[in-house]
Amino acid sequence: MSLQVIKHGDVVVVEVDGQLIVGNRQELKQRVLDEAEAGARKVLIDFAKAGYIDSSGLGVLVSLAKRLRELGGDLRLANLNDDLQTLFELTKLDSLFQIADTRERALESF
Amino acid sequence: MASNAALDLRFPSDVQQIEGIVAQVVRSCRACRFAGRQLSLNVPVALTEALSNAILRGNGEGAGKHVRLRADVTELRLVLEVEDEGEGFDLEACTQDPTTSENLAREDGRGLFLMRSLMDRVERFRGDGNVVRLTLLRR
């Protein structure tokens, strides 16, 4: 997995490329926590280039959303493919996150 | 013609091993013409869960421990057996429903649920070590 961080105004966009799984989830967690530490409150994770996500990857997203909400911000998601959409529906995490079809819609939603 | 495959791998108990092993099993399933969704979702996610459970819980991240994976892939089904050096666990008792209001915002507790949701059958038993067997019918 590789991560790319792009700033769109006050929104930090994190692009996930590859699988988000037990072996690399801490990388995403630390990257977003570093951004939050530096003052970011609106974070968008873009999964357009992502592969599959396991339960620990889902857990990291839950943890980051909780942290950002504690800080008065929010974590939102965009570009889930059909497999990821199924995972979020199975686990009902689609009810916990605001999920947009495109990055543009997600950015407008903040 | 599809090509059946059997894998028998023994590897160090390290989560960094998981992605490569999963890719190997997915390749075997692709050769047996499993459906696209099974190749991109069911097999990789369920196997990742089984391997990470074996490494992190079964073996407790113990240095020097190993995990064994046996995979038997045919045109009809995939059978995976993941064996660790732990004492085992009660599959029913350990499977939580992560979709309830009290569990929804938890960081953990989705692994067994996903395994069981994405496979046709999940079993646990004692072999030489603690074994989790996953079965998926080809669609």
Side-chain angles (χ1 to χ4, degrees), chain A residues 11-69:
Chain A
V11 182
V12 172
V13 179
V14 182
E15 293 179 351
V16 174
D17 191 339
Q19 336 300 349
L20 175 58
I21 58 174
V22 61
N24 58 32
R25 70 195 197 278
Q26 284 301 336
E27 211 178 311
L28 173 65
K29 186 170 186 177
Q30 198 53 55
R31 196 68 187 265
V32 174
L33 289 177
D34 288 348
E35 292 292 338
E37 181 75 19
R41 294 295 177 265
K42 299 174 184 175
V43 177
L44 170 63
I45 312 276
D46 188 333
F47 288 100
K49 297 177 185 168
Y52 56 91
I53 301 180
D54 70 359
S55 63
S56 64
L58 294 173
V60 158
L61 297 176
V62 170
S63 161
L64 290 172
K66 206 179 290 180
R67 181 66 189 134
L68 281 162
R69 284 167 193 167

Side-chain angles (χ1 to χ4, degrees), chain A residues 19 21-24 29 52-56 58-60 62-63 66 82-83 86-87 90-93 95-96, chain B residues 15-16 18-19 22 37 40-41 44-45 48-49 52 56 98-99 104-107 110-111 113-114 117-118:
Chain A
Q19 336 300 349
I21 58 174
V22 61
N24 58 32
K29 186 170 186 177
Y52 56 91
I53 301 180
D54 70 359
S55 63
S56 64
L58 294 173
V60 158
V62 170
S63 161
K66 206 179 290 180
D82 289 348
D83 293 337
T86 298
L87 271 186
L90 267 178
T91 53
K92 292 203 176 155
L93 286 178
S95 65
L96 205 67
Chain B
V15 293
Q16 299 304 328
I18 292 175
E19 200 171 345
V22 168
R37 172 56 72 96
S40 60
L41 176 67
V45 174
T48 298
E49 299 299 344
S52 63
L56 299 176
T99 67
L104 189 61
R106 283 185 57 165
E107 193 174 341
R110 295 181 180 85
F113 173 84
L114 283 179
S117 301
L118 297 171

Side-chain angles (χ1 to χ4, degrees), chain B residues 118-133:
Chain B
L118 297 171
M119 289 282 123
D120 289 303
R121 189 184 310 143
V122 177
E123 303 156 275
R124 194 209 68 81
F125 57 91
R126 291 296 305 177
D128 291 334
N130 169 51
V131 182
V132 171
R133 180 191 286 151

Side-chain angles (χ1 to χ4, degrees), chain B residues 4 30 54 88 96 104 119 122 134 138:
Chain B
N4 296 350
R30 181 172 288 115
Q96 303 171 5
L104 189 61
M119 289 282 123
V122 177
L134 312 177
R138 185 176 76 86

Side-chain angles (χ1 to χ4, degrees), chain B residues 86-101:
Chain B
E87 292 303 311
F89 60 96
D90 182 331
L91 185 59
E92 292 304 325
C94 291
T95 305
Q96 303 171 5
D97 180 355
T99 67
T100 62
S101 54

